[in-house]
Amino acid sequence: MKCYLGLFLCLMMTAVMVSCNDKQDVDGPLLRHVVLFNFNETADAAKVKELESAFAALPSKISEIKDFEWGVNNSPEGLDKGLSHCFLVTFGSEEDRKAYLPHPSHQEFVTLIGPYVEDVVVVDYWTN
């Protein structure tokens, strides 16, 4: 019985890993879209959490997003210039990014976050 349970758990973990990487089936360089935010004083902790969740929901709404990750700055260097959040959106092509930028779900997010952003920096690059 333990052997079957172990095999079942192994198969389930493999299925989860495969489904998490479904969007990463692009060969060659990837286009990274780096977005850095600093929220203003009107964005309390609950609002920031809501905005984080709204950005994190975009990959389920926009098929051109190949991968997505984000986090809160914890660098000890003190060079963040007040930017607290980093979001990394990955595309497989220029066309994917061109579809993403005006996409209604992205534009809805931009409208939602706008009043709460003190500063934003966006940098795009192709991976080497």
Side-chain angles (χ1 to χ4, degrees):
M1 183 70 167
K2 287 182 182 180
C3 182
Y4 290 116
L5 180 60
L7 179 60
F8 173 75
L9 290 174
C10 184
L11 290 173
M12 290 302 294
M13 288 175 52
T14 301
V16 168
M17 290 170 51
V18 168
S19 69
C20 288
N21 291 324
D22 277 350
K23 292 187 171 191
Q24 293 184 347
D25 57 357
V26 177
D27 291 331
L30 296 169
L31 181 57
R32 304 280 197 212
H33 178 70
V34 182
V35 183
L36 304 165
F37 288 120
N38 180 25
F39 295 102
N40 62 32
E41 66 271 354
T42 64
D44 62 15
K47 179 54 76 173
V48 170
K49 195 70 140 165
E50 176 189 333
L51 297 168
E52 292 167 348
S53 295
F55 205 158
L58 290 181
S60 67
K61 299 175 180 181
I62 304 173
S63 63
E64 289 81 7
I65 296 174
K66 303 303 177 211
D67 197 19
F68 177 86
E69 63 183 63
W70 72 275
V72 177
N73 177 47
N74 71 351
S75 174
E77 295 179 286
L79 301 174
D80 53 65
K81 298 185 181 188
L83 298 163
S84 61
H85 286 67
C86 180
F87 296 85
L88 180 63
V89 184
T90 300
F91 303 103
S93 67
E94 297 275 348
E95 292 75 24
D96 288 349
R97 180 179 56 189
K98 285 179 187 174
Y100 164 81
L101 292 173
H103 192 282
S105 295
H106 177 245
Q107 289 304 307
E108 182 181 326
F109 171 72
V110 169
T111 301
L112 177 68
I113 199 168
Y116 302 101
V117 173
E118 178 74 27
D119 197 9
V120 61
V121 173
V122 177
V123 177
D124 292 0
Y125 67 93
W126 282 98
T127 61
N128 290 313

